[in-house]
């Protein structure tokens, strides 16, 4: 069964392994030069990178983020759906192969292959990007590049992409098993995987490790702030290198959560055009005089690996739960 399973998706696997090898070779050629530049530039590395390295940086993000989705769509979803759609699964079952063994061979081999591809991709990209990541964690600018804890970069670093690939593959198998048609299963797999990838960083990831909090005064000479939603919301940007800000709350002079007073918006109002910088500073100064502060909740850069392992466990748990559901479905529901 293992050999048969491998023959069924060896073409897809071969194409992806070859693509990863070519991309890893490109990173291997330029990686040592990037490391040497970091040794010389330190945290200012991000200001000195050539456009070619910037292109590789974003290409690495896209590759690692795309690998699990591609695996789920083109490996997982068709693996069983195609056999159910054409009826060839009956041939295997009539040769003395049990349903559970048939499914286990497909899930086992496919999951190992998926995790291997994703592991190679994230290993190469994490190694190549490590000088940029260290530069940002040490205070480098994040105007062009992402901190490792940023939701975009986090999913393309460390061990998390390996778990994402395992989950995506099993998700595709599960949906193919239930839908029993290849193309609809592929489309549904992509939509479901993307939905999970948005859900986890927005509502779950921030709670997987203990967060830190800091309270900064709202002052013209304090932490930089952004004024949003028509002066109804203030967002502070404290100097915490490499961190991921998860939430903010404005506090009054007593330290109690409150909204930004309407007087702040009135202060910023002008008859024509945006307010001038001195006017903005004056309005912020009025908030300072009233004792307003901004409480910022964030995940510090040091929590990177704690969050990585916690999310890896989460996705592997989801993959195991889906695999168990596949076993139950094929034994109880599939005719």
């Amino acid at each position: 069964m293992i050999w048969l399973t491998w023959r069924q998706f060896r073409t897809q696997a071969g194409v992806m392994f070859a693509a990863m090898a070519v991309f890893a070779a490109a990173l291997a050629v330029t990686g040592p030069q990037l490391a040497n530049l970091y040794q010389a530039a330190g945290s200012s590395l991000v200001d000195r990178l050539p456009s070619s390295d910037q292109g590789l940086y974003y290409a690495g993000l896209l590759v690692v983020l795309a690998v699990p989705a591609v695996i789920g769509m083109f490996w997982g979803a068709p693996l069983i759906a195609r056999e159910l759609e054409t009826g060839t699964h009956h041939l295997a079952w009539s040769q003395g192969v049990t349903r559970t063994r048939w499914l286990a061979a497909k899930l086992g081999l496919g999951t190992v292959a998926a995790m291997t591809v994703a592991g190679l991709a994230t290993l190469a990209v994490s190694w190549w990007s490590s000088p940029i990541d260290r530069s940002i964690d040490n205070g480098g600018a994040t105007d062009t590049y992402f901190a490792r804890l940023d939701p975009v970069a986090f999913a393309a670093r460390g061990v998390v992409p390996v778990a994402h690939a395992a989950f995506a593959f099993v998700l595709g198998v599960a949906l193919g098993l239930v839908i029993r048609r290849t193309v609809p299963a592929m489309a549904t797999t992509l939509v479901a995987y993307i939905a999970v990838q948005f859900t986890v960083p927005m509502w779950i990831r921030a709670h997987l490790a203990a967060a830190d909090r800091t309270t900064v005064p709202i002052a013209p000479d304090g932490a930089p702030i952004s004024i949003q939603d028509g002066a109804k919301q203030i967002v502070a940007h404290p100097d915490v290198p490499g961190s991921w800000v998860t939430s903010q709350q404005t506090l009054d002079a007593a330290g109690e959560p409150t909204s930004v007073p309407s007087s702040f918006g009135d202060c910023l109002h002008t008859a024509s055009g945006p307010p001038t910088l001195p006017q903005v500073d004056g309005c912020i100064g009025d908030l300072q005089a009233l004792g307003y502060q901004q409480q910022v909740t964030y995940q510090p850069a040091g929590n990177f690996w704690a969050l990585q392992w916690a999310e890896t466990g989460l996705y592997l748990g989801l993959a195991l739960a889906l695999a168990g559901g596949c076993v139950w479905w094929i034994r109880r529901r599939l005719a």
Side-chain angles (χ1 to χ4, degrees):
M1 277 304 303
I2 294 178
W3 174 245
L4 177 61
T5 301
W6 169 248
R7 286 178 61 87
Q8 289 177 323
F9 83 111
R10 62 182 177 179
T11 301
Q12 301 97 305
V15 169
M16 184 163 288
F17 273 107
M20 288 301 101
V22 171
F23 187 68
L27 296 179
V29 169
T30 58
Q33 180 181 356
L34 184 60
N36 292 335
L37 183 59
Y38 172 73
Q39 293 297 326
S43 61
S44 64
L45 169 69
V46 293
D47 300 318
R48 299 174 57 179
L49 289 177
S51 58
S52 58
D53 284 346
Q54 182 177 336
L56 274 176
Y57 175 84
Y58 284 104
L61 287 176
L62 291 175
V63 166
V64 181
L65 292 174
V67 162
V70 171
I71 285 173
M73 279 186 67
F74 294 99
W75 289 15
L79 191 62
I80 288 181
R82 185 181 292 118
E83 292 210 44
L84 298 180
E85 193 172 16
T86 59
T88 56
H89 61 292
H90 292 297
L91 177 61
W93 295 354
S94 65
Q95 301 298 317
V97 178
T98 65
R99 298 184 180 198
T100 303
R101 180 186 169 193
W102 179 78
L103 177 64
K106 293 180 177 295
L107 279 175
L109 181 62
T111 302
V112 170
M115 295 175 73
T116 301
V117 171
L120 293 174
T122 186
L123 178 64
V125 171
S126 295
W127 168 77
W128 186 91
S129 303
S130 59
I132 299 174
D133 295 337
R134 290 197 300 270
S135 172
I136 293 173
D137 286 348
N138 290 330
T142 56
D143 298 335
T144 305
Y145 304 95
F146 301 102
R148 289 191 304 169
L149 281 179
D150 184 273
V152 174
F154 185 85
R157 296 286 189 275
V159 295
V160 158
V162 178
H164 288 178
F167 167 74
F169 176 77
V170 180
L171 175 66
V173 172
L175 290 173
L177 184 61
V178 173
I179 298 174
R180 303 181 65 168
R181 295 177 60 194
T182 303
V183 174
M186 293 171 66
T188 307
T189 297
L190 179 61
V191 172
Y193 178 75
I194 291 175
V196 173
Q197 286 294 86
F198 273 101
T199 300
V200 170
M202 289 183 65
W203 291 295
I204 299 176
R205 183 180 296 159
H207 305 288
L208 297 178
D212 286 352
R213 283 183 177 175
T214 185
T215 301
V216 297
I218 299 176
D221 56 351
I225 67 170
S226 301
I227 302 169
Q228 301 180 357
D229 193 21
K232 295 179 181 179
Q233 183 179 5
I234 288 176
V235 176
H237 305 281
D239 185 19
V240 188
S243 65
W244 172 37
V245 176
T246 57
S247 65
Q248 298 208 19
Q249 175 64 61
T250 301
L251 307 177
D252 60 20
E256 296 296 326
T258 187
S259 58
V260 178
S262 58
S263 59
F264 181 64
D266 296 336
C267 178
L268 292 175
H269 179 72
T270 60
S272 62
T276 63
L277 183 58
Q279 181 181 354
V280 172
D281 286 344
C283 297
I284 294 175
D286 292 342
L287 292 181
Q288 180 186 18
L290 294 172
Y292 282 88
Q293 305 174 84
Q294 194 75 1
Q295 184 182 78
V296 182
T297 303
Y298 64 94
Q299 290 287 347
N303 278 4
F304 175 78
W305 282 109
L307 288 168
Q308 280 275 318
W309 289 114
E311 186 163 323
T312 296
L314 172 66
Y315 273 91
L316 290 180
L318 290 174
L320 286 173
L322 283 172
C326 289
V327 172
W328 178 85
W329 188 274
I330 202 170
R331 296 179 65 178
R332 303 293 183 183
R333 299 293 301 273
L334 187 63

